[in-house]
Amino acid sequence: MKKLFRIAVLAMSVFVLFAACGSDTKEEGQASVKGLPPAVDNETVVIATADETPSLTTAGHNAVAGDYINKIVYNGLFKMNKELNPVPDLVENYTVEKDENGEETIWKMTLHNGIKFHDGSVMTSDDVIASLNEAKKSAHVATYTKSIIKMEKIDDLNFVLYTDGPSSSLLYDLAHHGNFIIPKALIESGNNFNENPIGAGPYKFVNWTQGTELTFTAHTDYFDKDNAPKIKNIVWKIIPEGSSRTIALEAGEIDFIIELDSTSITSIESNKDLALINVPSVSHSWLTVNNEVKPFDDLNVRKALSCAINRDDVVTVALNGAGVPATAQVPMGMLGGKTDGFDSYDIEKAKEYMKAWGGDPSTIKLDIICSNDTKRRAAEVIQANLAEIGINAKIESMDLATYLSVTAAGDFTGFIGGFTSNNMMAFLKGVYHSQNINSSNKTRTNVPKLDELIDLSTKTVDKDAREKILFEIAVMLNENCYQMPLWQDSRLSAHNALLKNTFITTSGDFFPQEWSW
């Protein structure tokens, strides 16, 4: 019997959403809000980011910097709303039916009629199936299509997805950028989506001057008229250095900073022409070590590293206090977070773990790779902490594209990294499932029991039963200390106070198509 699938509300017990709005808003620490003229004009917004996207494709990466771009150029069958729940996007309606075994594995979906890609072609079920098949081929994002075992076209607007069992994660997965929909005709013709990214999103790609900026313009035939862009043009500038981004905003050269450096909080708060957005985050950051490289394959060494790191100092120095020390191998604030078995700061315990290992700490080669200023500041604290147990760590800086390539390939001993997701299942699949070695599983953890539990969680629809499985996974991860969690930060952004309707979720999503002057 048909029934509408009910989306469970994501547990967000310790996090709140914060919206920063327009010129009549008074931010804490500001006397009154005035605002600057737009950096270009009233039809343009200039956004600055620290990291350049490694790719304009949907499935050729799994980077936050790329996700930002993907979400304005493309759409998925589903999207995450501001409360981090999956809701229909390209899909107008859907039902879930039981198979011959009585399990809900048959997902019948209907597209909105008349959705146009940027090239003017109209989206059909053929495009959906071709796009999901492309995602299945990509090592970066294949994990988000794993549960789909068969796809069937009914007609141009209707199609069916068959899953390998009941799925609690499918709708979240369909909201992932790797599963965004692109034209089948362009896939088959060999279109280079990194040079010619054609989607159905609110903005169309115009130009990419690598290392400098990208430009976009509004998609005038955007299917979702209620959420069509209010500002016509976007200029997306790449400014790696944090203070340079702040200076550019203060000077009126840009309108919005995606990643405000925490050292700039005070200057933004005291400037009546600017507005600060400060949102507690579910993003999880860590020191990753390569578990395939000796001696990091030894549990005692990993636990020694974890116990040696003073996370309070890391948060103070790296984030200027704009975050909280990590207390588990998984992000807290999501269903299934648990701190039991976690190795927190204890220098004497760290020395005991090193003694149990039995080797000479001075022989440990640990090069900590960093891709931005925040990570480097964190690495400097960690470097000093590890020196207390006899480990002489080195710090190396890389641009984001090189950093992502090197770390995905396993060509490293250590790096400062992180992962942002909308739910615990996506986090666990991305960070710890062996299927994602050479992609987002950068510790290179390969534990069959762990894979089995992660897969089971994605097929467990009952929330209480799923939470029990997630708790078991969290404790297993804490006890095996595959990496050294550091912090959950606050999402810090800043903008011209005259820019209205800005909003950032706890996962860091923002919605430029809703902005206006």
Side-chain angles (χ1 to χ4, degrees):
M1 178 178 178
K2 292 185 178 181
K3 70 174 186 178
L4 288 176
F5 187 81
R6 308 276 183 190
I7 302 173
V9 177
L10 178 67
M12 294 294 294
S13 57
V14 300
F15 292 102
V16 296
L17 296 176
F18 180 98
C21 300
S23 59
D24 59 350
T25 302
K26 180 180 178 181
E27 303 292 346
E28 185 177 354
Q30 294 177 331
S32 62
V33 174
K34 296 178 69 175
L36 298 166
V40 177
D41 55 40
N42 287 328
E43 292 191 334
T44 305
V45 63
V46 181
I47 299 172
T49 186
D51 299 314
E52 185 169 30
T53 178
S55 175
L56 296 179
T57 66
T58 57
H61 69 93
N62 200 16
V64 171
D67 183 62
Y68 292 150
I69 301 293
N70 287 161
K71 284 176 177 171
I72 64 171
V73 175
Y74 307 96
N75 287 81
L77 299 176
F78 287 75
K79 63 183 178 181
M80 302 304 296
N81 67 11
K82 293 175 182 178
E83 290 74 41
L84 303 191
N85 295 309
V87 295
D89 191 7
L90 297 172
V91 165
E92 184 174 28
N93 57 71
Y94 69 103
T95 60
V96 188
E97 296 182 2
K98 292 182 179 179
D99 60 22
E100 59 187 9
N101 298 317
E103 294 185 325
E104 294 181 336
T105 64
I106 303 171
W107 302 73
K108 294 187 174 182
M109 300 187 181
T110 302
L111 291 171
H112 286 281
N113 188 28
I115 299 171
K116 286 188 177 181
F117 288 112
H118 299 156
D119 62 358
S121 61
V122 177
M123 184 182 297
T124 71
S125 299
D126 290 323
D127 301 306
V128 172
I129 292 172
S131 298
L132 296 180
N133 277 327
E134 281 297 291
K136 282 181 171 290
K137 300 174 186 177
S138 170
H140 298 286
V141 299
T143 188
Y144 302 104
T145 57
K146 183 180 178 183
S147 66
I148 302 172
I149 57 174
K150 180 182 175 184
M151 294 177 279
E152 179 182 354
K153 175 183 176 181
I154 303 301
D155 56 36
D156 280 351
L157 295 180
N158 294 280
F159 60 95
V160 185
L161 303 181
Y162 298 87
T163 53
D164 58 359
S167 178
S168 55
S169 65
L170 178 66
L171 301 187
Y172 291 95
D173 290 345
L174 293 177
H176 188 273
H177 67 78
N179 291 326
F180 286 176
I181 307 306
I182 54 180
K184 177 185 178 183
L186 292 184
I187 296 173
E188 292 180 342
S189 68
N191 178 64
N192 185 340
F193 284 90
N194 199 45
E195 297 178 355
N196 183 38
I198 299 295
Y203 284 93
K204 298 192 295 185
F205 170 77
V206 176
N207 186 59
W208 183 6
T209 303
Q210 293 198 359
T212 303
E213 68 180 33
L214 302 96
T215 53
F216 306 88
T217 193
H219 178 27
T220 54
D221 288 325
Y222 188 52
F223 82 99
D224 186 356
K225 299 304 181 184
D226 292 337
N227 292 297
K230 296 175 176 60
I231 296 177
K232 181 179 179 181
N233 303 308
I234 293 179
V235 178
W236 199 287
K237 288 188 174 293
I238 316 302
I239 307 178
E241 209 278 315
S243 62
S244 296
R245 293 193 298 277
T246 301
I247 291 169
L249 181 64
E250 292 171 336
E253 297 170 358
I254 61 174
D255 303 307
F256 189 96
I257 297 175
I258 297 176
E259 313 96 340
L260 179 72
D261 196 289
S262 57
T263 59
S264 297
I265 292 175
T266 301
S267 64
I268 298 296
E269 286 181 325
S270 63
N271 190 329
K272 62 182 179 296
D273 291 324
L274 306 177
L276 173 71
I277 306 177
N278 187 339
V279 182
S281 167
V282 292
S283 181
H284 203 239
S285 294
W286 46 64
L287 166 66
T288 296
V289 293
N290 190 332
N291 285 217
E292 292 180 341
V293 174
K294 292 184 179 300
F296 306 114
D297 59 341
D298 189 287
L299 179 59
N300 285 308
V301 172
R302 299 197 301 270
K303 284 179 170 288
L305 294 177
S306 185
C307 288
I309 297 172
N310 187 329
R311 292 169 177 81
D312 288 328
D313 286 353
V314 171
V315 169
T316 298
V317 173
L319 305 179
N320 198 29
V324 295
T327 57
Q329 292 277 333
V330 298
M332 301 305 293
M334 290 182 177
L335 184 73
K338 203 169 184 66
T339 62
D340 297 27
F342 182 70
D343 292 287
S344 56
Y345 178 56
D346 186 333
I347 196 68
E348 294 306 317
K349 195 171 182 180
K351 292 176 180 178
E352 290 176 10
Y353 281 129
M354 290 304 292
K355 185 177 180 180
W357 169 54
D360 180 355
S362 67
T363 65
I364 294 178
K365 182 182 185 296
L366 177 59
D367 296 327
I368 305 174
I369 302 172
C370 306
S371 63
N372 60 38
D373 295 341
T374 299
K375 293 175 182 178
R376 188 170 184 90
R377 291 195 297 268
E380 288 169 354
V381 175
I382 294 169
Q383 184 181 48
N385 290 160
L386 297 184
E388 295 186 52
I389 59 172
I391 297 174
N392 299 311
K394 296 181 180 179
I395 301 173
E396 182 178 1
S397 293
M398 288 183 181
D399 66 88
L400 181 64
T402 305
Y403 162 96
L404 291 171
S405 176
V406 167
T407 56
D411 188 18
F412 69 92
T413 52
F415 69 93
I416 306 292
F419 197 87
T420 301
S421 57
N422 296 304
N423 66 94
M424 188 67 80
M425 294 171 292
F427 175 87
L428 294 171
K429 284 194 294 184
V431 177
Y432 291 111
H433 201 291
S434 64
Q435 175 182 321
N436 290 313
I437 291 174
N438 293 325
S439 178
S440 52
N441 176 357
K442 298 187 178 184
T443 60
R444 310 183 74 77
T445 301
N446 189 351
V447 179
K449 176 63 175 176
L450 179 58
D451 287 350
E452 179 184 330
L453 287 171
I454 293 172
D455 290 341
L456 181 60
S457 74
T458 67
K459 296 179 182 180
T460 304
V461 176
D462 181 80
K463 181 179 176 181
D464 291 338
R466 184 166 72 253
E467 183 177 46
K468 185 176 179 180
I469 297 167
L470 294 173
F471 280 155
E472 183 179 354
I473 295 171
V475 173
M476 177 187 295
L477 293 172
N478 289 341
E479 291 176 345
N480 286 280
C481 193
Y482 297 113
Q483 54 193 357
M484 296 77 233
L486 301 173
W487 67 73
Q488 287 184 226
D489 61 4
S490 294
R491 288 291 180 180
L492 297 175
S493 293
H495 61 86
N496 185 328
L498 294 182
L499 190 62
K500 299 178 181 179
N501 302 323
T502 56
F503 186 97
I504 295 181
T505 71
T506 56
S507 66
D509 286 341
F510 55 98
F511 311 91
Q513 65 269 31
E514 297 182 1
W515 299 352
S516 64
W517 287 111

